[in-house]
Amino acid sequence: EAEVAQSPRYKITEKSQAVAFWCDPISGHATLYWYRQILGQGPELLVQFQDESVVDDSQLPKDRFSAERLKGVDSTLKIQPAELGDSAMYLCASSETQGFSTDTQYFGPGTRLTVL
Amino acid sequence: GNSVTQMEGPVTLSEEAFLTINCTYTATGYPSLFWYVQYPGEGLQLLLKATKADDKGSNKGFEATYRKETTSFHLEKGSVQVSDSAVYFCALSAPHSGGSNYKLTFGKGTLLTVNP
């Protein structure tokens, strides 16, 4: 069964350093999502791509976070500089289509970020 | 705006007990409803979904019925197993802030622990 791949699984960094996370969606999935999940909370959407275009980045802290999906396949989420409050699980998800409420999103295993 | 409210945890049950996790929602239009499960250290997995009123989603012995009149989507299982121990998230997919882009909105999650 196809899966969403993410790396690294765990990342420990110091405050003010730069970090990057990588996601490879299920092959053929046009839509890719990045979520942040704070411990004890549900995931919150940071950014959504349709192919290589950003559809929604309204909750992305653009002063320090950036995301790209240059060829419409895999994607990178970057934080620079990292802050203590960025410690969380970063989840990537993909779906086959976009624009239908019935779309199912498939999640990767996540990257657990700890900022010291 | 769209929101999901689910039963506060943690929930602790003995093996073979009956499980109910309550979930209610607020949304514009006709959302699709989902239950996701997150095992320790892993990403989210789709457990079941329902896309219109009175639909019943089911998987692995879990069931939930889309009740539009009570805006609810309660998760039930007749006999839980130790392997069901996980965090369960209720979620809805609906247009966000008057736009046309569908977004997943999650509840805060309910931790279920099943003891032998």
Side-chain angles (χ1 to χ4, degrees):
Chain A
E1 183 175 310
E3 296 180 342
V4 176
Q6 288 188 248
S7 67
R9 292 292 307 273
Y10 304 92
K11 179 70 178 179
I12 300 174
T13 191
E14 293 187 345
K15 187 175 62 171
S16 79
Q17 296 298 302
V19 293
F21 314 132
W22 177 80
C23 172
D24 192 13
I26 293 172
S27 178
H29 280 196
T31 310
L32 184 147
Y33 313 80
W34 282 102
Y35 289 86
R36 177 169 58 187
Q37 184 182 18
I38 296 170
L39 192 63
Q41 302 286 324
E44 292 184 326
L45 182 69
L46 291 175
V47 61
Q48 177 182 340
F49 290 92
Q50 176 71 19
D51 299 313
E52 66 276 8
S53 300
V54 173
V55 173
D56 185 347
D57 63 357
S58 57
Q59 300 303 310
L60 188 71
K62 298 181 190 63
D63 57 335
R64 298 185 299 109
F65 286 64
S66 63
E68 62 183 15
R69 193 184 184 198
L70 292 177
K71 297 184 179 178
V73 181
D74 59 340
S75 175
T76 303
L77 178 70
K78 297 179 181 177
I79 308 175
Q80 182 173 16
E83 295 182 353
L84 296 177
D86 296 332
S87 294
M89 175 80 90
Y90 290 83
L91 294 165
C92 180
S94 69
S95 64
E96 191 171 359
T97 58
Q98 183 266 341
F100 301 98
S101 71
T102 57
D103 288 347
T104 295
Q105 295 185 25
Y106 297 89
F107 284 79
T111 296
R112 169 74 66 188
L113 173 67
T114 302
V115 181
L116 303 176
Chain B
N2 301 327
S3 66
V4 174
T5 302
Q6 65 181 100
M7 185 171 155
E8 295 271 335
V11 174
T12 303
L13 297 173
S14 298
E15 206 163 24
E16 299 183 3
F18 184 85
L19 168 71
T20 299
I21 301 178
N22 290 337
C23 171
T24 58
Y25 67 89
T26 301
T28 54
Y30 302 95
S32 289
L33 301 174
F34 303 80
W35 277 100
Y36 280 85
V37 58
Q38 187 173 34
Y39 297 102
E42 298 185 11
L44 277 69
Q45 300 176 23
L46 177 67
L47 182 59
L48 53 85
K49 73 178 187 181
T51 59
K52 60 183 186 296
D54 300 324
D55 265 3
K56 178 185 285 188
S58 61
N59 186 27
K60 300 180 180 179
F62 292 90
E63 293 183 339
T65 301
Y66 188 145
R67 301 287 188 200
K68 190 170 186 298
E69 63 276 14
T70 55
T71 61
S72 66
F73 192 54
H74 304 321
L75 183 67
E76 296 182 338
K77 187 175 185 182
S79 176
V80 294
Q81 305 300 311
V82 172
S83 57
D84 294 326
S85 298
V87 180
Y88 291 81
F89 291 94
C90 184
L92 68 84
S93 177
H96 181 67
S97 300
S100 60
N101 181 42
Y102 285 88
K103 292 179 64 168
L104 269 183
T105 300
F106 288 88
K108 292 186 175 181
T110 302
L111 173 62
L112 170 66
T113 301
V114 181
N115 295 319

